[in-house]
PDB file of all heavy atoms in Angstrom:
ATOM      1  N   ALA A  41      -2.502   6.501 -21.117  1.00 93.00           N
ATOM      2  CA  ALA A  41      -1.474   5.660 -20.491  1.00 93.00           C
ATOM      3  C   ALA A  41      -0.663   4.913 -21.536  1.00 93.00           C
ATOM      4  O   ALA A  41       0.575   4.928 -21.493  1.00 93.00           O
ATOM      5  CB  ALA A  41      -2.115   4.682 -19.511  1.00 93.00           C
ATOM      6  N   ILE A  42      -1.335   4.258 -22.474  1.00 92.00           N
ATOM      7  CA  ILE A  42      -0.578   3.480 -23.454  1.00 92.00           C
ATOM      8  C   ILE A  42       0.218   4.386 -24.389  1.00 92.00           C
ATOM      9  O   ILE A  42       1.284   4.004 -24.855  1.00 92.00           O
ATOM     10  CB  ILE A  42      -1.463   2.470 -24.229  1.00 92.00           C
ATOM     11  CG1 ILE A  42      -2.497   3.160 -25.089  1.00 92.00           C
ATOM     12  CG2 ILE A  42      -2.100   1.477 -23.278  1.00 92.00           C
ATOM     13  CD1 ILE A  42      -3.276   2.230 -26.003  1.00 92.00           C
ATOM     14  N   THR A  43      -0.277   5.593 -24.654  1.00 91.00           N
ATOM     15  CA  THR A  43       0.476   6.549 -25.460  1.00 91.00           C
ATOM     16  C   THR A  43       1.793   6.902 -24.781  1.00 91.00           C
ATOM     17  O   THR A  43       2.814   7.084 -25.438  1.00 91.00           O
ATOM     18  CB  THR A  43      -0.364   7.826 -25.695  1.00 91.00           C
ATOM     19  OG1 THR A  43      -1.530   7.478 -26.429  1.00 91.00           O
ATOM     20  CG2 THR A  43       0.420   8.870 -26.461  1.00 91.00           C
ATOM     21  N   CYS A  44       1.766   6.979 -23.462  1.00 92.00           N
ATOM     22  CA  CYS A  44       2.967   7.316 -22.682  1.00 92.00           C
ATOM     23  C   CYS A  44       3.861   6.113 -22.426  1.00 92.00           C
ATOM     24  O   CYS A  44       4.900   6.236 -21.784  1.00 92.00           O
ATOM     25  CB  CYS A  44       2.560   7.957 -21.357  1.00 92.00           C
ATOM     26  SG  CYS A  44       1.838   9.594 -21.569  1.00 92.00           S
ATOM     27  N   GLY A  45       3.467   4.942 -22.892  1.00 92.00           N
ATOM     28  CA  GLY A  45       4.277   3.749 -22.687  1.00 92.00           C
ATOM     29  C   GLY A  45       4.123   3.135 -21.314  1.00 92.00           C
ATOM     30  O   GLY A  45       4.967   2.373 -20.865  1.00 92.00           O
ATOM     31  N   THR A  46       3.031   3.447 -20.647  1.00 93.00           N
ATOM     32  CA  THR A  46       2.767   2.911 -19.314  1.00 93.00           C
ATOM     33  C   THR A  46       1.863   1.694 -19.424  1.00 93.00           C
ATOM     34  O   THR A  46       0.795   1.772 -20.044  1.00 93.00           O
ATOM     35  CB  THR A  46       2.090   3.978 -18.430  1.00 93.00           C
ATOM     36  OG1 THR A  46       2.949   5.118 -18.381  1.00 93.00           O
ATOM     37  CG2 THR A  46       1.832   3.463 -17.034  1.00 93.00           C
ATOM     38  N   PRO A  47       2.267   0.561 -18.851  1.00 94.00           N
ATOM     39  CA  PRO A  47       1.376  -0.605 -18.863  1.00 94.00           C
ATOM     40  C   PRO A  47       0.034  -0.261 -18.220  1.00 94.00           C
ATOM     41  O   PRO A  47      -0.007   0.437 -17.200  1.00 94.00           O
ATOM     42  CB  PRO A  47       2.139  -1.638 -18.027  1.00 94.00           C
ATOM     43  CG  PRO A  47       3.564  -1.214 -18.108  1.00 94.00           C
ATOM     44  CD  PRO A  47       3.527   0.290 -18.167  1.00 94.00           C
ATOM     45  N   CYS A  48      -1.027  -0.733 -18.833  1.00 94.00           N
ATOM     46  CA  CYS A  48      -2.361  -0.361 -18.377  1.00 94.00           C
ATOM     47  C   CYS A  48      -3.212  -1.602 -18.132  1.00 94.00           C
ATOM     48  O   CYS A  48      -3.199  -2.544 -18.921  1.00 94.00           O
ATOM     49  CB  CYS A  48      -3.024   0.525 -19.429  1.00 94.00           C
ATOM     50  SG  CYS A  48      -4.612   1.183 -18.911  1.00 94.00           S
ATOM     51  N   ILE A  49      -3.951  -1.564 -17.038  1.00 95.00           N
ATOM     52  CA  ILE A  49      -4.921  -2.604 -16.711  1.00 95.00           C
ATOM     53  C   ILE A  49      -6.289  -1.929 -16.724  1.00 95.00           C
ATOM     54  O   ILE A  49      -6.487  -0.915 -16.059  1.00 95.00           O
ATOM     55  CB  ILE A  49      -4.638  -3.217 -15.326  1.00 95.00           C
ATOM     56  CG1 ILE A  49      -3.233  -3.808 -15.290  1.00 95.00           C
ATOM     57  CG2 ILE A  49      -5.694  -4.267 -14.990  1.00 95.00           C
ATOM     58  CD1 ILE A  49      -2.770  -4.194 -13.901  1.00 95.00           C
ATOM     59  N   ALA A  50      -7.203  -2.494 -17.500  1.00 93.00           N
ATOM     60  CA  ALA A  50      -8.519  -1.881 -17.646  1.00 93.00           C
ATOM     61  C   ALA A  50      -9.606  -2.943 -17.503  1.00 93.00           C
ATOM     62  O   ALA A  50      -9.334  -4.140 -17.523  1.00 93.00           O
ATOM     63  CB  ALA A  50      -8.624  -1.205 -19.012  1.00 93.00           C
ATOM     64  N   ALA A  51     -10.829  -2.477 -17.370  1.00 93.00           N
ATOM     65  CA  ALA A  51     -11.978  -3.358 -17.170  1.00 93.00           C
ATOM     66  C   ALA A  51     -12.468  -3.964 -18.475  1.00 93.00           C
ATOM     67  O   ALA A  51     -12.442  -3.330 -19.524  1.00 93.00           O
ATOM     68  CB  ALA A  51     -13.116  -2.585 -16.514  1.00 93.00           C
ATOM     69  N   THR A  52     -12.925  -5.202 -18.370  1.00 92.00           N
ATOM     70  CA  THR A  52     -13.599  -5.849 -19.492  1.00 92.00           C
ATOM     71  C   THR A  52     -15.046  -5.374 -19.534  1.00 92.00           C
ATOM     72  O   THR A  52     -15.563  -4.826 -18.563  1.00 92.00           O
ATOM     73  CB  THR A  52     -13.603  -7.381 -19.320  1.00 92.00           C
ATOM     74  OG1 THR A  52     -14.218  -7.694 -18.063  1.00 92.00           O
ATOM     75  CG2 THR A  52     -12.213  -7.959 -19.379  1.00 92.00           C
ATOM     76  N   GLY A  53     -15.680  -5.611 -20.660  1.00 84.00           N
ATOM     77  CA  GLY A  53     -17.115  -5.367 -20.762  1.00 84.00           C
ATOM     78  C   GLY A  53     -17.507  -3.921 -20.952  1.00 84.00           C
ATOM     79  O   GLY A  53     -18.626  -3.537 -20.624  1.00 84.00           O
ATOM     80  N   SER A  54     -16.613  -3.100 -21.472  1.00 81.00           N
ATOM     81  CA  SER A  54     -16.964  -1.702 -21.737  1.00 81.00           C
ATOM     82  C   SER A  54     -16.179  -1.230 -22.953  1.00 81.00           C
ATOM     83  O   SER A  54     -15.495  -2.009 -23.616  1.00 81.00           O
ATOM     84  CB  SER A  54     -16.654  -0.834 -20.520  1.00 81.00           C
ATOM     85  OG  SER A  54     -15.256  -0.676 -20.370  1.00 81.00           O
ATOM     86  N   CYS A  55     -16.212   0.050 -23.202  1.00 84.00           N
ATOM     87  CA  CYS A  55     -15.498   0.626 -24.339  1.00 84.00           C
ATOM     88  C   CYS A  55     -13.992   0.676 -24.106  1.00 84.00           C
ATOM     89  O   CYS A  55     -13.241   1.003 -25.021  1.00 84.00           O
ATOM     90  CB  CYS A  55     -16.014   2.029 -24.588  1.00 84.00           C
ATOM     91  SG  CYS A  55     -15.713   3.091 -23.159  1.00 84.00           S
ATOM     92  N   LEU A  56     -13.538   0.333 -22.911  1.00 89.00           N
ATOM     93  CA  LEU A  56     -12.110   0.400 -22.608  1.00 89.00           C
ATOM     94  C   LEU A  56     -11.308  -0.529 -23.504  1.00 89.00           C
ATOM     95  O   LEU A  56     -10.150  -0.258 -23.825  1.00 89.00           O
ATOM     96  CB  LEU A  56     -11.863   0.087 -21.136  1.00 89.00           C
ATOM     97  CG  LEU A  56     -12.539   1.039 -20.150  1.00 89.00           C
ATOM     98  CD1 LEU A  56     -12.241   0.627 -18.719  1.00 89.00           C
ATOM     99  CD2 LEU A  56     -12.147   2.483 -20.403  1.00 89.00           C
ATOM    100  N   GLU A  57     -11.921  -1.608 -23.948  1.00 87.00           N
ATOM    101  CA  GLU A  57     -11.224  -2.547 -24.833  1.00 87.00           C
ATOM    102  C   GLU A  57     -10.949  -1.924 -26.201  1.00 87.00           C
ATOM    103  O   GLU A  57      -9.953  -2.250 -26.837  1.00 87.00           O
ATOM    104  CB  GLU A  57     -12.018  -3.841 -24.951  1.00 87.00           C
ATOM    105  CG  GLU A  57     -12.005  -4.591 -23.620  1.00 87.00           C
ATOM    106  CD  GLU A  57     -13.128  -5.581 -23.452  1.00 87.00           C
ATOM    107  OE1 GLU A  57     -14.294  -5.207 -23.687  1.00 87.00           O
ATOM    108  OE2 GLU A  57     -12.830  -6.720 -23.088  1.00 87.00           O
TER     109      GLU A  57
END
Side-chain angles (χ1 to χ4, degrees):
I42 65 173
T43 297
C44 291
T46 302
C48 186
I49 301 169
T52 56
S54 72
C55 62
L56 300 179
E57 292 159 310

